[in-house]
Amino acid sequence: MTDETPDAAANQQPLRPEAEVLAEARRRSRRSFIGLGLAGLAGFGGLRWLFSEPNDEGMPHRVRKVLDANGQLSHAYFKQTRLAPEFARARARTPRKNGTYGLKSELDPATWRMRVQGYGTGQTREFTLADVQALPKVEMVTELKCIEGWSVIVHWAGTRLSDFLARYPLATRSGRPIDPLNPPADLAPYAAIDTPDGKYYVGLDMDTVLHSQTLLCYEMNGQPLTPNHGAPLRLVTPLKYGIKHIKRIGTIAFVDTRPKDYWAEMGYDWDSGH
């Protein structure tokens, strides 16, 4: 007796011989191996093609083109009227140290100076922290975002870089003061910012330089900056990832061509916006 209905018994397929099953398995394995091999060769060929051209700012040219395309998209989204969200001060926390590039040399706050090279003039001026602090103080509570995936809300205080350039018009060939909403025709297209020892450096387009939330920052969470966080003066620009927030500013130069950028040379897009 059987529990199967007559129809079920009729539809049941006969068992295949074991030798036939093994032969089919071997055929399928060979096809899979050949397919994987061809895919691997194609991938290897693609990598050779990708890396076959000379480097462009530390990266293969074709990789740099992809990164630049990402940067162009980010920059298209960047506007003077777009502001990073601000938060209640009670939510501010101290960010992690996260990197010592450009901070390993000894710092003497009494002798520190920020050197600013004028655009197309060859003129270089030096500024003390007191010179920066004499300008209007701006405070904001914004989110510092890291390319590693973490973020933290921080209370920053300093002066707008645009206010500094309005008082000291070193970013125009003519020496004309800058109105961020109506920039003069002879405005530099880029700024290059380095630490005093030159070990860390970022490049900024002038839209970022003139943004109302881009600060020359000297306080964090109500206290002067510590050496680990960029004392005596650092950059804060909350529409960019933290890799652009250079600590311990040493030199600012206004230039015609896109400046080198530490992390862009390490494989990140030059714009670094989010």
Side-chain angles (χ1 to χ4, degrees):
M1 295 291 293
T2 176
D3 293 331
E4 293 180 346
T5 65
D7 288 342
N11 292 332
Q12 190 175 36
Q13 297 295 320
L15 294 176
R16 298 168 64 189
E18 182 178 355
E20 183 180 337
V21 173
L22 291 174
E24 177 65 18
R26 282 194 293 270
R27 284 194 295 272
R28 293 187 179 185
S29 296
R30 283 196 296 271
R31 286 199 297 268
S32 298
F33 179 78
I34 293 170
L36 288 173
L38 291 174
L41 288 173
F44 179 72
L47 284 174
R48 288 192 64 184
W49 174 82
L50 193 64
F51 289 89
S52 63
E53 291 190 347
N55 280 2
D56 183 353
E57 297 184 26
M59 298 293 297
H61 178 68
R62 293 186 177 98
V63 177
R64 175 58 59 197
K65 287 179 67 175
V66 173
L67 293 173
D68 283 348
N70 290 338
Q72 289 167 7
L73 181 62
S74 173
H75 184 70
Y77 186 51
F78 187 95
K79 291 179 173 57
Q80 293 293 335
T81 53
R82 177 184 164 227
L83 300 177
E86 297 205 31
F87 304 87
R89 290 188 184 184
R91 297 184 61 183
R93 298 291 183 268
T94 300
R96 64 180 71 174
K97 178 180 174 182
N98 219 54
T100 58
Y101 302 113
L103 303 179
K104 295 180 181 179
S105 58
E106 291 295 324
L107 170 67
D108 182 357
T111 60
W112 172 89
R113 297 291 185 271
M114 178 175 69
R115 302 176 71 247
V116 182
Q117 180 181 327
Y119 178 47
T121 66
Q123 178 188 16
T124 299
R125 294 189 59 177
E126 292 190 349
F127 299 89
T128 65
L129 182 60
D131 293 329
V132 177
Q133 292 173 327
L135 296 168
K137 185 178 182 179
V138 174
E139 299 184 47
M140 64 184 186
V141 184
T142 57
E143 189 175 20
L144 173 64
K145 295 184 178 183
C146 181
I147 53 172
E148 295 173 348
W150 59 267
S151 64
V152 62
I153 294 169
V154 186
H155 175 203
W156 307 106
T159 189
R160 292 187 180 96
L161 185 46
S162 60
D163 288 344
F164 176 85
L165 293 174
R167 174 64 180 85
Y168 302 104
L170 294 163
T172 56
R173 290 185 184 276
S174 61
R176 293 171 56 196
I178 295 172
D179 175 1
L181 299 179
N182 187 26
D186 63 343
L187 178 67
Y190 297 103
I193 309 179
D194 295 18
T195 55
D197 62 6
K199 296 294 181 63
Y200 194 80
Y201 39 90
V202 301
L204 299 176
D205 60 87
M206 287 304 292
D207 286 339
T208 301
V209 168
L210 299 181
H211 192 271
S212 61
Q213 290 178 312
T214 297
L215 302 185
L216 295 173
C217 176
Y218 46 79
E219 289 181 7
M220 183 178 73
N221 294 337
Q223 299 295 324
L225 290 174
T226 63
N228 284 339
H229 289 288
L233 193 70
R234 65 175 291 166
L235 188 80
V236 172
T237 182
L239 291 178
K240 304 289 185 180
Y241 284 106
I243 54 177
K244 288 289 191 182
H245 297 216
I246 183 171
K247 303 173 185 176
R248 195 185 295 181
I249 295 172
T251 303
I252 301 177
F254 296 101
V255 295
D256 282 314
T257 57
R258 192 172 79 171
K260 63 180 183 177
D261 186 276
Y262 186 92
W263 284 104
E265 294 176 349
M266 299 296 169
Y268 293 87
D269 74 87
W270 189 92
D271 188 78
S272 298
H274 56 74

